Amino acid sequence: MPRTKVMAANWKMYKTPDQTSEFFRNFLPLVSGHSRDEIVVCPPFLDLPAALEASKESKIAIGAQNVHWKEEGAFTGETSAGQLLALGVSHVIVGHSERRQYFCETDDTVNLRLKAALEAGLIPICCVGEVLEEREAGLTDDVLRRQCVRAFHAISAKKAAKLIVAYEPVWAIGTGKTATPELAAEAHAVIRSEATEIFGEEFAGDLRILYGGSVKPENSKALMSQEEIDGALVGGASLDPKSFAAIVKY
Ligand code: PEP
């Protein structure tokens, strides 16, 4: 069975609630007849209610950009899986490279967040990817395997059933540099092979691995034509409804 692609938007720290409603007013008509792929939009926490309200008559799923691993407690600035689910959020990005780079996210905290998300019933989009120095030193495969081993530590295949992985080479995020479709597909194959080791062949065969890193309307088709690429995680180009719709509909 071919894997259904997931076309996900990561809005990072952009847009207000009003701008979120406006995005959906313009985006929904552009994708109303589009049933081939799953569409997920991940706005900032503040915009989640507006996104949920605006998308409620559509099939578009709404995701958060992070989740804490505790159910509740004295963790100023954090948000739990239970709180996200209570709003109606279904997906969550975990381990984005900007969290790793600027907010002390480690492979271990990624593992804690993943476990909490899966345990609660959220669908995590777990990001992995190498930095430029690692690619240039020939370490990409090792880095991807290490990130997967640590992120998926002590998670059973049964628990991980809804997991989605995003391969996001850090040198391609927000830089305008895109991995070639072939290079992305090679990295996806490494991740799938590690998922096979950890979770087994059947699980890995069904696992959706998205590509992220300067995906645009102009390169979406070539990337999505690769059998190994099961969708996209789109940052900058997802902020504009026309551009994200063109990427989704490639
Ligand atoms: C991202 O934020 O996950 C991302 C891939 O960003 P961009 O598309 O802007 O490179």
Side-chain angles (χ1 to χ4, degrees):
M1 272 265 288
R3 297 178 289 264
T4 304
K5 289 198 195 315
V6 180
M7 306 303 279
N10 172 18
W11 284 0
K12 312 190 188 210
M13 198 173 71
Y14 290 100
K15 293 195 192 290
T16 62
D18 282 352
Q19 290 168 335
T20 299
S21 309
E22 193 194 344
F23 173 92
F24 279 96
R25 262 197 307 280
N26 294 312
F27 181 64
L28 289 179
L30 300 176
V31 294
S32 61
H34 188 83
S35 55
R36 181 190 56 193
D37 313 298
E38 292 172 21
I39 304 175
V40 185
V41 176
C42 304
F45 286 115
L46 183 75
D47 299 328
L48 288 170
L52 286 159
E53 176 62 28
S55 63
K56 68 179 179 206
E57 307 294 344
S58 76
K59 283 194 180 151
I60 296 172
I62 302 301
Q65 295 175 17
N66 201 5
V67 63
H68 195 263
W69 52 90
K70 293 283 190 187
E71 276 174 37
E72 59 182 7
F75 302 105
T76 303
E78 293 295 327
T79 305
S80 72
Q83 290 169 325
L84 294 174
L85 285 163
L87 269 190
V89 168
S90 53
H91 290 63
V92 64
I93 297 171
V94 172
H96 192 278
S97 64
E98 286 153 15
R99 302 291 323 166
R100 295 179 191 253
Q101 227 175 330
Y102 307 129
F103 301 100
C104 306
E105 190 79 70
T106 65
D107 290 332
D108 293 332
T109 53
V110 171
N111 174 247
L112 289 170
R113 292 183 206 280
L114 258 189
K115 279 191 201 144
L118 288 166
E119 192 68 46
L122 284 169
I123 302 173
I125 302 175
C126 179
C127 302
V128 294
E130 79 287 359
V131 299
L132 187 61
E133 297 74 49
E134 290 164 337
R135 173 155 290 273
E136 286 176 348
L139 294 173
T140 300
D141 293 10
D142 293 348
V143 169
L144 295 177
R145 286 185 186 278
R146 186 207 75 220
Q147 288 178 339
C148 288
V149 167
R150 300 228 186 127
F152 308 152
H153 175 69
I155 299 177
S156 68
K158 193 165 167 225
K159 267 274 143 63
K162 292 183 177 169
L163 174 70
I164 296 169
V165 174
Y167 168 60
E168 298 213 309
V170 181
W171 47 270
I173 297 180
T175 58
K177 289 184 198 154
T178 316
T180 62
E182 294 74 23
L183 187 144
E186 270 171 34
H188 284 220
V190 171
I191 295 167
R192 203 173 299 287
S193 129
E194 194 56 48
T196 307
E197 302 252 318
I198 299 170
F199 295 123
E201 208 164 322
E202 198 185 331
F203 180 98
D206 292 339
L207 177 67
R208 270 96 58 90
I209 305 175
L210 320 185
Y211 169 76
S214 299
V215 177
K216 308 178 255 268
E218 303 82 64
N219 58 26
S220 180
K221 190 178 173 80
L223 287 159
M224 295 310 123
S225 304
Q226 290 285 332
E227 207 184 308
E228 261 299 344
I229 300 184
D230 307 312
L233 181 56
V234 188
S238 72
L239 293 168
D240 174 67
K242 277 197 197 134
S243 151
F244 188 46
I247 290 170
V248 167
K249 298 205 277 191
Y250 58 89

